Amino acid sequence: MEHSAIFSGCCLAAALLVLVVALAAPHRLGAAAAAAAPGDGSETNWHVVSVNSLLPNTVCTSTKGPAAAPSSLTVVHRHGPCSPLRSRGSGAPSHTEILRRDQDRVDAIRRKVTASSNKPKGGVSLLANWGKSLSTTNYVASLRLGTPATELVVELDTGSDQSWVQCKPCADCYEQRDPVFDPTASSTYSAVPCGARECQELASSSSSRNCSSDNNKNCPYEVSYDDDSHTVGDLARDTLTLSPSPSPSPADTVPGFVFGCGHSNAGTFGEVDGLLGLGLGKASLPSQVAARYGAAFSYCLPSSPSAAGYLSFGGAAARANAQFTEMVTGQDPTSYYLNLTGIVVAGRAIKVPASAFATAAGTIIDSGTAFSRLPPSAYAALRSSFRSAMGRYRYKRAPSSPIFDTCYDFTGHETVRIPAVELVFADGATVHLHPSGVLYTWNDVAQTCLAFVPNHDLGILGNTQQRTLAVIYDVGSQRIGFGRKGCA
């Protein structure tokens, strides 16, 4: 009896000690709490994340992306330490500016979608607010144009068709990082005449200046943006090289690539040398190289600005672990549309019907929008599930930011546990987001937020949620695939 009392007292003291430690340091109980939480399933429903990994790295850890096919370009974050634009010493925009400009882009997409049948004055209907001041079309690639080849740094955009670069002579050019492309120095350059098919397609798809009756005259092009930025010049052909190597293989060259040679360019383009259009239209690069490489391309956006991804063309872009979902038809013929029907948080589907993800304008996958937009009811259900999951570890809540309302203060933690988030599409394809696609950290870990935003009339799968995924645009089969661990 005496031994039993002593034993019980020891157990009680031990239990009280465990309780005190738990209350004093709840953030150290992550693994045990996850194991004990009901309905969690396997550990794949949670991520253990180093808090330091949530902060930007000032050192470039990788200068070359893990290319998925021979004809590939390395993709880097525009403002990261791997960016060639950093050599000019230009700093990254503030977080407030990033968020503001991201909303500007969403507003521009909304106008473009709803007014797709009404072309803006003087040009092709493309997106607004480009370049440095936008700072949300975050990803750039270096390509080579002409013979001999000139290396140029261009923005990547799945929402645009027309590619263009600044060209000499340039009466009105914005400042760019590299020397302006000189058509007279390229032996393979030629202007597209008015009688060419490409010029007629451009004229039929826009209200741009028509050619005269002289079919041999150079075909003019003009691209206008909502903020009065513009590029004006001649439609041209030249050899494009899809490789950074000074000695590329013939398979990496694209003779006769059609692009805009801009002689008058003004607006908020920043220091990039031009734009590479990856949209669905006939003028886009994927459409132009489809006969050569196949009607498919893929890219991977790295988890951090200090790493590199890739852009690849052709059937080799596919990955064995990819899950595919059908492309659906949308109001904007340039953009790629998907049918998002659900979200899973920590292994549990959020409590809304599939119809909650439907919007009047559909759901677009966009390389330029930073943060995904969801209809309000779908976002509210995601927020509720995410907060409930995070509440198991009693992480300190942080003040809301201008567009994020679910933020946490991870000060004092070495690691944190965050619930896995998966996107579910109409045909059952399930996409597992990388932790860097779930959270967004401001200047320090004292304000780390759920990286989704509510939006009423348009759904967007943004580039933050696409990080580390091999995103495959199989245009020939009208489907889009997502492969895990496409890049670091």
Side-chain angles (χ1 to χ4, degrees), residues 46-251:
W46 293 85
H47 298 290
V48 179
V49 179
S50 167
V51 170
N52 286 337
S53 71
L54 300 174
L55 297 170
N57 196 331
T58 58
V59 178
C60 181
T61 58
S62 175
T63 57
K64 186 175 182 181
S71 300
S72 301
L73 300 173
T74 296
V75 173
V76 297
H77 193 282
R78 177 186 185 128
H79 299 293
C82 299
S83 173
L85 301 176
R86 290 292 294 270
S87 63
R88 294 183 68 99
S90 58
S94 69
H95 294 283
T96 300
E97 181 73 359
I98 289 174
L99 299 181
R100 185 177 71 83
R101 291 297 180 175
D102 195 48
Q103 186 58 49
D104 286 347
R105 181 177 176 93
V106 172
D107 293 340
I109 293 175
R110 181 186 295 110
R111 289 190 295 269
K112 178 174 181 259
V113 169
T114 57
S116 60
S117 60
N118 300 317
K119 307 300 180 185
K121 59 180 181 179
V124 180
S125 176
L126 296 179
L127 297 183
N129 295 327
W130 216 252
K132 181 177 179 180
S133 67
L134 176 60
S135 304
T136 54
T137 311
N138 295 99
Y139 297 96
V140 299
S142 296
L143 52 76
R144 300 164 70 83
L145 184 65
T147 307
T150 298
E151 184 170 322
L152 302 170
V153 177
V154 293
E155 293 270 10
L156 306 179
D157 183 28
T158 57
S160 296
D161 288 336
Q162 185 65 58
S163 301
W164 59 268
V165 300
Q166 293 200 113
C167 290
K168 291 182 177 179
C170 204
D172 182 18
C173 278
Y174 61 87
E175 183 181 3
Q176 67 177 49
R177 168 187 175 269
D178 301 301
V180 175
F181 179 71
D182 185 357
T184 63
S186 173
S187 62
T188 48
Y189 175 89
S190 64
V192 172
C194 283
R197 170 182 56 83
E198 294 88 352
C199 186
Q200 294 168 4
E201 290 174 349
L202 176 66
S204 66
S205 64
S206 71
S207 57
S208 58
R209 297 167 296 163
N210 292 323
C211 283
S212 68
S213 57
D214 183 2
N215 284 340
N216 293 318
K217 181 182 178 182
N218 291 351
C219 177
Y221 88 94
E222 180 176 351
V223 178
S224 300
Y225 298 82
D226 287 356
D227 65 346
D228 293 329
S229 299
H230 67 268
T231 173
V232 179
D234 296 323
L235 210 60
R237 294 189 183 96
D238 210 335
T239 297
L240 175 68
T241 303
L242 297 174
S243 170
S245 171
S247 303
S249 71

Side-chain angles (χ1 to χ4, degrees), residues 11 31 57 66 120 122 175 316 325 413 458 480:
C11 289
N57 196 331
E175 183 181 3
T325 185
H413 297 267
L458 176 66
I480 294 178

Side-chain angles (χ1 to χ4, degrees), residues 45 152 160 221 274 364 392 425-426 454:
N45 293 330
L152 302 170
S160 296
Y221 88 94
I364 291 173
R392 296 173 182 173
F425 295 92

Side-chain angles (χ1 to χ4, degrees), residues 377-394:
S377 61
Y379 173 76
L382 167 63
R383 176 183 61 194
S384 176
S385 295
F386 191 83
R387 287 179 176 177
S388 176
M390 293 291 283
R392 296 173 182 173
Y393 310 111
R394 297 188 292 278

Side-chain angles (χ1 to χ4, degrees), residues 28 49 67 123 129 134 183 193 242 253 262 273 275 300 305 341 444 479:
R28 296 181 181 178
V49 179
N129 295 327
L134 176 60
L242 297 174
T253 59
D273 305 331
L275 180 146
C300 185
T341 58
D444 56 51
R479 60 181 190 163

Side-chain angles (χ1 to χ4, degrees), residues 99 102-103 371 373 379 400-405 442 452-454:
L99 299 181
D102 195 48
Q103 186 58 49
F371 306 106
R373 264 60 177 184
Y379 173 76
S400 298
S401 77
I403 65 172
F404 299 128
D405 61 7
W442 286 59
F452 290 80
V453 183

